[in-house]
Amino acid sequence: EAGVTQFPSHSVIEKGQTVTLRCDPISGHDNLYWYRRVMGKEIKFLLHFVKESKQDESGMPNNRFLAERTGGTYSTLKVQPAELEDSGVYFCASSQTSRGPQETQYFGPGTRLLVL
Amino acid sequence: AQSVTQLDSQVPVFEEAPVELRCNYSSSVSVYLFWYVQYPNQGLQLLLKYLSGSTLVKGINGFEAEFNKSQTSFHLRKPSVHISDTAEYFCAVSRSNDYKLSFGAGTTVTVRA
């Protein structure tokens, strides 16, 4: 069974440009999460989808970040325009629904974003 | 909101020696507790989790952790480490009615021969 996949693995862009990150969750997982780790600090929650709906977006830093999950399968996270402080590793995770928060979140390898 | 403190950022250890990684959390409500490991160039992998019941939790690769409610701790241990245990380890907490995980800053374990 394929795990959570993320694309690209690395991205280097200039300040002011746009970047779109993609996450493909484990097949059948309705829950999809985005997290971010900036400059060796803690991994921080960004948002949580249940199928195509945003369940919790309390961690989104500002309106330059837009997450979508059309059709309830893969998700994209767009940063527009990117700023220097957006550099970091963006992780996606997915989980099943049956036992709610008790379910294990399975993480992808992350996308390393560097904004110059 | 809950917070997670991993007391050691770097832990060097010799092969076959024991290791303990410390994790403390603060929360006013019931929580679930997790330890994840990130090997170089890989994603986070769950080592073990505490949901309820026995406070001693056994995980993969010979790791175990003990939940101590009075001390709000969830320390991770392994009696004998291998070179392959070199990785970064993250403690995480979620409220029992909430999906989002709060992570500690991570502990890098380096195992030397």
Side-chain angles (χ1 to χ4, degrees):
Chain A
E1 178 182 306
V4 176
T5 58
Q6 294 186 243
F7 182 83
S9 59
H10 296 77
S11 180
V12 180
I13 61 173
E14 293 188 351
K15 176 183 172 181
Q17 289 185 322
T18 298
V19 63
T20 301
L21 313 180
R22 173 172 169 143
C23 168
D24 286 80
I26 292 172
S27 178
H29 283 193
D30 288 339
N31 294 291
L32 186 148
Y33 315 83
W34 285 98
Y35 292 84
R36 176 174 76 166
R37 189 181 194 194
V38 175
M39 291 297 290
K41 295 187 177 178
E42 295 88 350
I43 300 169
K44 296 271 194 188
F45 168 83
L46 296 178
L47 87 161
H48 169 210
F49 283 100
V50 178
K51 297 185 180 179
E52 67 275 8
S53 300
K54 292 176 185 175
Q55 181 78 12
D56 180 354
E57 49 184 333
S58 61
M60 294 289 266
N62 52 60
N63 60 9
R64 294 185 296 102
F65 289 76
L66 175 64
E68 295 180 320
R69 193 183 182 195
T70 306
T73 54
Y74 71 91
S75 174
T76 58
L77 180 64
K78 180 190 288 187
V79 185
Q80 179 182 31
E83 298 289 344
L84 300 180
E85 63 266 25
D86 300 332
S87 296
V89 182
Y90 289 77
F91 292 102
C92 176
S94 70
S95 70
Q96 295 179 323
T97 304
S98 50
R99 293 192 301 159
Q102 294 187 8
E103 292 288 352
T104 297
Q105 294 184 25
Y106 295 88
F107 282 75
T111 293
R112 284 149 184 80
L113 175 65
L114 178 60
V115 183
L116 300 175
Chain B
Q2 57 274 11
S3 67
V4 183
T5 302
Q6 291 184 241
L7 295 159
D8 306 293
S9 60
Q10 305 269 349
V11 174
V13 58
F14 285 106
E15 192 174 20
E16 298 184 5
V19 70
E20 178 181 77
L21 308 184
R22 295 177 291 168
C23 173
N24 287 86
Y25 68 94
S26 64
S27 176
S28 58
V29 299
S30 179
V31 296
Y32 298 141
L33 296 153
F34 307 81
W35 275 99
Y36 280 86
V37 60
Q38 185 179 24
Y39 299 106
N41 301 314
Q42 295 186 27
L44 279 72
Q45 178 182 1
L46 182 73
L47 276 176
L48 46 79
K49 61 183 177 183
Y50 172 80
L51 303 177
S52 65
S54 173
T55 57
L56 183 63
V57 181
K58 292 190 184 296
I60 62 171
N61 301 341
F63 285 92
E64 65 180 31
E66 185 152 22
F67 170 56
N68 187 318
K69 187 174 182 179
S70 62
Q71 296 186 3
T72 60
S73 68
F74 191 54
H75 300 335
L76 180 72
R77 301 183 185 93
K78 185 170 181 177
S80 176
V81 296
H82 303 292
I83 299 288
S84 59
D85 292 320
T86 294
E88 191 164 17
Y89 294 78
F90 296 93
C91 181
V93 172
S94 71
R95 292 185 300 181
S96 57
N97 62 346
D98 194 357
Y99 285 82
K100 60 176 174 275
L101 297 173
S102 296
F103 284 86
T107 298
T108 299
V109 173
T110 304
V111 182
R112 297 189 177 96

